[in-house]
Amino acid sequence: DFLKFLYLTFPKDHNILDTIDWNLWFYDVGMPPKNKFNDILLNQSKKLAIELFNSRKSIGTKIIPQSITKWNAQQVIVMLEHLQILFKESNESIEILRELLTFINDHYNFFSNKNSEISYRWLTLCLSCQYETSYKYVVNMLIQFKLN
């Protein structure tokens, strides 16, 4: 019944569905073969987060962060989430982390970002460092959600 449903649901993809060994997946013992996923975009996001975090000791020098203008929202979100992890695990002073937030916003202008998920991640990162510059943006975002 499942296969009938699957083929009816995806009529244009019969050629792809036919390449799957359904007997192996349904009736064979053990785990099905593990797919190898392309993680290039994930690695780019994490790499930039690490580079930004490591730049905290050299703020003021001519570090130009990688452009993210062609990144999709999910890549930016992963980068911000990874920064959040690095901040939490850090023993850096809160002042250095705030300077880093200023540096990051100077280059990426996250306070002006219109994507609510990116704004949420950015503002959460800012609040974790008690970054006062972010407070008015947090209030604006909360008011905006309350009105919607």
Side-chain angles (χ1 to χ4, degrees), residues 30 38 77 81 83 85 114 138 147-148:
N38 183 338
I77 290 166
E81 287 175 345
L83 265 176
I85 292 167
K114 300 297 182 207
V138 171
L147 294 177
N148 292 332

Side-chain angles (χ1 to χ4, degrees), residues 73-117:
Q74 195 62 41
Q75 281 181 276
V76 177
I77 290 166
V78 168
M79 185 264 295
L80 291 171
E81 287 175 345
H82 199 65
L83 265 176
Q84 180 81 32
I85 292 167
L86 293 170
F87 274 44
K88 282 182 182 178
E89 294 174 349
S90 164
N91 293 324
E92 284 295 344
S93 72
I94 200 96
E95 290 79 21
I96 289 176
L97 296 177
R98 286 181 194 146
E99 283 181 36
L100 181 56
L101 290 173
T102 300
F103 172 76
I104 292 169
N105 192 62
D106 287 348
H107 288 280
Y108 299 122
N109 202 18
F110 284 127
F111 285 132
S112 298
N113 194 294
K114 300 297 182 207
N115 182 305
S116 61
E117 292 184 32

Side-chain angles (χ1 to χ4, degrees), residues 15-78:
N15 57 339
I16 295 171
L17 294 172
D18 289 340
T19 64
I20 298 170
D21 184 355
W22 294 109
N23 285 325
L24 173 72
W25 279 84
F26 289 142
Y27 306 111
D28 212 2
V29 294
M31 296 294 292
K34 184 177 178 184
N35 292 329
K36 181 172 169 67
F37 295 100
N38 183 338
D39 57 0
I40 291 172
L41 300 179
L42 174 70
N43 291 336
Q44 287 175 345
S45 299
K46 287 184 174 183
K47 181 180 178 216
L48 180 58
I50 292 167
E51 287 173 2
L52 288 170
F53 185 75
N54 289 340
S55 73
R56 70 195 180 284
K57 297 192 179 192
S58 52
I59 291 177
T61 60
K62 301 256 183 202
I63 297 171
I64 306 292
Q66 170 186 340
S67 173
I68 60 173
T69 55
K70 294 185 179 178
W71 281 19
N72 63 46
Q74 195 62 41
Q75 281 181 276
V76 177
I77 290 166
V78 168

